[in-house]
């Protein structure tokens, strides 16, 4: 049985390409000061969350600690534009 080259070509993914943000800042949420006292070093770890895609677990972990991620789309790397 022979197949044509079109049948063997890889399928085009319908999922859009994900942009990664090279620079992220962790900002405090309002009215969460009591929780933030236990995680005062979390904003200093913003570099750990840059230049990669984050899991939902990581995102929710940041929110549970009283902070949120702020991405800078102006700093998107040129290969992802």
């Amino acid at each position: 049985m022979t197949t044509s080259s079109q049948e063997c070509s890889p399928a085009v993914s319908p999922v859009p390409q994900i942009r990664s943000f090279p620079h992220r800042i962790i900002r405090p949420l309002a009215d969460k000061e009591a929780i933030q006292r236990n995680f005062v070093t979390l904003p200093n770890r913003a570099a750990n969350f840059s230049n990669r895609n984050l899991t939902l677990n990581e995102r929710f972990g940041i929110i549970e600690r009283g902070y949120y991620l702020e991405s800078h789309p102006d700093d998107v790397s040129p290969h992802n534009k």
Side-chain angles (χ1 to χ4, degrees):
M1 182 172 150
T2 61
T3 58
S4 68
S5 62
Q6 289 178 335
E7 292 174 340
C8 295
S9 64
V12 176
S13 174
V15 179
Q17 184 179 11
I18 298 173
R19 297 183 342 177
S20 62
F21 296 97
H23 185 66
R24 295 187 186 192
I25 296 175
I26 297 178
R27 303 258 188 221
L29 289 169
D31 300 326
K32 300 290 183 179
E33 292 83 10
I35 296 170
Q36 292 165 0
R37 283 184 292 180
N38 298 320
F39 304 101
V40 293
T41 60
L42 186 62
N44 300 335
R45 295 177 35 212
N48 295 343
F49 302 111
S50 297
N51 289 324
R52 66 184 183 91
N53 296 325
L54 299 179
T55 64
L56 282 176
N57 189 35
E58 290 172 319
R59 291 177 184 273
F60 284 120
I62 292 169
I63 294 169
E64 288 173 346
R65 289 167 173 85
Y67 296 92
Y68 71 95
L69 277 173
E70 182 177 295
S71 300
H72 295 279
D74 297 337
D75 294 339
V76 174
S77 57
H79 69 279
N80 288 333
K81 284 187 178 181

